[in-house]
Amino acid sequence: MISDGLGLSCPGVRNPVPTLEVMTVQREDVTELPGMETPVLGPTGRPFQVFPDPKPLRSHGPARIIALCNQKGGVGKTTTTINLGATLAEVGRRVLAIDFDPQGALSAGLGVNTHDVTTVYDLLLGTQRDVAAAILPTGIENLDIIPANIDLSAAEINLVNEVAREQILARVIRQVADRYDVVLIDCQPSLGLLTVNALTAAHGVLIPLETEYFALRGVALLVETIDKVRDRLNPAIKLDGILATMYDARTLHSREVLERVVEAFGPQVLETVIHRTVKFPDASVANVPITTFASDHHAADQYRQLARELIVRGAVA
């Protein structure tokens, strides 16, 4: 029996746990199933839900700030930031995406050139005090970005002796929060000073979690870090949800990991599940969101479902 680090057991091959059959139902199919005695189950093992289209906003701002965090790399943080931002913009929300990873993947994924431009690093160090000067439009209406590049890797060293160094990003965002409905912070895969800055600035945390065993092991440590930030720096922060990503219903491993996450975190696991597809790397190469690259693909619909779910949950206005 393999321990998953959460007080639960991850079954090995010799002792598999029965898994639920997964039925994928598109939105238009739900209306054809009235009065069913057996509810249609989604990948989480709970009754499949369809979230309503959001109502238009009468006014914009102040923004709710969401940090997308996971100390493990390659779990879909940047992909989720890009596509959640695009789908929220699609329904009329004004979105600011902040690239807070020195790799600059968010900037590249939205087709932003980070050479010879003001970046979030300049704002953190105070070499540029006008936050608006660092905000760049993307090719998506209602979606702007503050870019980052490799310079950001020096931030933790340069900020270590600053007073209230954990709150620098919060002060930066405060200058432009009234212009947006949501701010999405794409964090680097670590729990260092930059991520603590993001958590201190945020109202909520969204944890993209690859449905893979090693990704599952680190979630407890991240939740513990969020609790420490809540106790010491940001009492208002809350966990907006855990988003299962790179899910492959064809594999027993993906189904078992998702089952364990639901057992451990219950309703904190979002109903929306992002399935694995080659369309995501293809869209990344094209430097556009999946909603632009393949608007009718089920992957685009899953991120639209995520945007609607977060609005229903109150994580986004």
Side-chain angles (χ1 to χ4, degrees):
M1 199 69 78
I2 304 172
S3 171
D4 63 3
L6 297 175
L8 298 169
S9 60
C10 286
V13 174
R14 293 176 298 174
N15 185 27
V17 172
T19 55
L20 294 164
E21 293 185 5
V22 177
M23 179 177 180
T24 303
V25 180
Q26 301 300 324
R27 180 176 178 182
E28 60 268 21
D29 296 332
V30 176
T31 56
E32 299 173 2
L33 304 171
M36 285 186 62
E37 295 182 2
T38 303
V40 177
L41 301 181
T44 62
R46 297 174 292 208
F48 184 88
Q49 292 190 47
V50 175
F51 298 96
D53 290 331
K55 297 179 180 178
L57 295 177
R58 295 182 178 179
S59 60
H60 297 282
R64 191 168 188 278
I65 304 165
I66 302 175
L68 288 89
C69 291
N70 194 321
Q71 73 271 27
K72 185 180 184 302
V75 298
K77 292 187 298 296
T78 300
T79 297
T80 296
T81 306
I82 291 171
N83 293 296
L84 176 59
T87 51
L88 286 171
E90 208 174 54
V91 294
R93 272 56 181 174
R94 292 181 181 170
V95 183
L96 175 64
I98 299 178
D99 194 343
F100 218 46
D101 185 342
Q103 298 178 70
L106 178 66
S107 304
L110 287 170
V112 175
N113 185 351
T114 60
H115 297 291
D116 298 323
V117 297
T118 301
T119 68
V120 69
Y121 177 70
D122 300 308
L123 300 177
L124 294 178
L125 265 62
T127 55
Q128 172 58 260
R129 296 187 180 278
D130 181 9
V131 179
I135 297 175
L136 300 175
T138 68
I140 310 299
E141 185 180 0
N142 291 326
L143 176 59
D144 295 335
I145 184 173
I146 297 179
N149 56 29
I150 194 63
D151 292 346
L152 187 60
S153 60
E156 296 201 9
I157 296 174
N158 292 330
L159 296 178
V160 70
N161 293 320
E162 292 289 327
V163 176
R165 58 186 179 271
E166 301 89 356
Q167 300 173 5
I168 296 174
L169 182 62
R171 295 199 298 268
V172 168
I173 296 174
R174 197 176 300 131
Q175 295 183 43
V176 294
D178 288 343
R179 307 181 193 179
Y180 296 95
D181 301 310
V182 58
V183 174
L184 302 176
I185 308 172
D186 182 27
C187 298
Q188 66 175 346
S190 78
L191 295 178
L193 180 57
L194 289 180
T195 299
V196 171
N197 255 268
L199 295 175
T200 303
H203 300 109
V205 183
L206 180 61
I207 304 177
L209 174 66
E210 180 186 8
T211 49
E212 193 271 340
Y213 170 69
F214 288 111
L216 172 62
R217 294 182 64 197
V219 176
L221 178 60
L222 177 54
V223 171
E224 181 181 332
T225 300
I226 295 170
D227 289 339
K228 288 181 179 178
V229 170
R230 182 184 298 112
D231 290 340
R232 303 173 188 179
L233 295 166
N234 182 7
I237 194 171
K238 60 177 288 189
L239 178 59
D240 286 339
I242 297 172
L243 173 68
T245 63
M246 304 182 190
Y247 178 73
D248 189 343
R250 299 169 298 179
T251 68
L252 177 63
H253 186 76
S254 268
R255 298 197 303 269
E256 286 183 343
V257 169
L258 183 52
E259 182 180 348
R260 294 305 177 197
V261 174
V262 173
E263 285 181 6
F265 295 100
Q268 291 177 319
V269 181
L270 300 177
E271 298 297 332
T272 304
V273 173
I274 307 300
H275 290 64
R276 187 183 296 275
T277 172
V278 72
K279 291 295 183 181
F280 287 127
D282 288 348
S284 298
V285 171
N287 296 331
V288 294
I290 191 70
T291 50
T292 300
F293 183 80
S295 182
D296 296 332
H297 194 269
H298 67 80
D301 290 337
Q302 287 162 9
Y303 271 108
R304 292 183 180 108
Q305 170 87 342
L306 173 62
R308 293 193 297 264
E309 180 172 2
L310 290 177
I311 291 171
V312 168
R313 283 174 169 251
V316 180

